[in-house]
Amino acid sequence: MIGSHVAQEPATPPQHEAGLGERMNRLRAGVLGANDGIVSTAAVVVGVAGATDSLSAIATAGLAAVVGGAISMALGEYVSVSSQRDSERVQGLADHHLVNPWSAAIASFLAFLLGAALPFAAAVLTPVSARVVAIFALTLVSLSLTGALSAKLGGAAVGRSVVRVVLGGTLALGATFLVGSLFGSQL
C-alpha cells in the first residue's frame, strides 16, 4: 500500500496504569494525614500536659486539635490537589489520568483522625503520673509504624522512613513539652 497512510490512535495505557497516579495521590494524602494527626495532636496534648495536670484542659485542647487539624488537612489537600489537577488539564492529560482532589481530601481527613486518636487517647486515659511518658511512647511507636507502612506501600527504604518521622516527632514533642513546662509554671 504505497502512499496510503493509516492514522494510528495513541495507545491508551491499561486501566491499572491510569489509576496508579490516583492510588499514589491517596497514599501520599493518607500518609501525610496520619503523620500530621499523630504529631500535631501529640504535640498539643503533651504541651498542655507540660503546663497543667488538668484533664479538662488537656482534653479540650486535644479535641480542638483533632477536629481543627482534620478539617485543615482535608482542606489543604483539596486545594493543593485541585491546583495540581488544573495544571494536569492544561498539560492535556486525559480525565482518567487526572488526580482527584476529593479522594485526597477524604484520605487525609480520615487518616488524620485515625492518627490523632492514638495520642489523644493516651492523653485522656493515662493517669497523670504516666501521662507525658505514655504520650511520648505511643506517639513514637505510632510514627514508627506509620513510617514503616508508608515505606512498604511506596517501595522505599523502611529504616530511613522510620528514622525521619521518629526524629521529627521527637523534636515536635520535646519542643511543645518544653514550651508548656516553661509557660505553664508562670501562669
Side-chain angles (χ1 to χ4, degrees):
M1 305 217 327
I2 300 174
S4 70
H5 182 302
V6 177
Q8 292 183 336
E9 293 196 24
T12 56
Q15 187 60 27
H16 71 277
E17 287 182 26
L20 179 61
E22 182 54 30
R23 283 195 305 272
M24 294 307 288
N25 178 44
R26 285 190 304 266
L27 173 63
R28 180 202 47 75
V31 167
L32 182 60
N35 185 68
D36 198 40
I38 294 166
V39 174
S40 63
T41 303
V44 167
V45 294
V46 84
V48 177
T52 181
D53 289 342
S54 168
L55 182 57
S56 175
I58 294 167
T60 300
L63 188 56
V66 171
V67 172
I71 293 169
S72 176
M73 285 297 295
L75 180 59
E77 281 295 332
Y78 181 81
V79 169
S80 174
V81 176
S82 290
S83 295
Q84 178 183 343
R85 186 178 177 102
D86 293 344
S87 296
E88 290 172 345
R89 279 199 173 109
V90 169
Q91 294 171 9
L93 265 70
D95 281 350
H96 64 277
H97 286 291
L98 299 175
V99 292
N100 184 335
W102 285 107
S103 69
I106 292 167
S108 186
F109 180 83
L110 294 174
F112 187 99
L113 288 178
L114 182 62
L118 300 169
F120 181 75
V124 298
L125 299 176
T126 306
V128 68
S129 61
R131 184 173 290 142
V132 171
V133 172
I135 295 168
F136 264 86
L138 183 61
T139 298
L140 298 181
V141 168
S142 299
L143 287 172
S144 296
L145 293 173
T146 302
L149 178 63
S150 65
K152 287 277 191 190
L153 291 173
V158 172
R160 187 177 315 154
S161 178
V162 169
V163 168
R164 201 171 28 230
V165 296
V166 168
L167 285 177
T170 301
L171 178 63
L173 292 177
T176 57
F177 181 73
L178 179 64
V179 167
S181 297
L182 290 174
F183 289 98
S185 64
Q186 297 181 15
L187 296 176

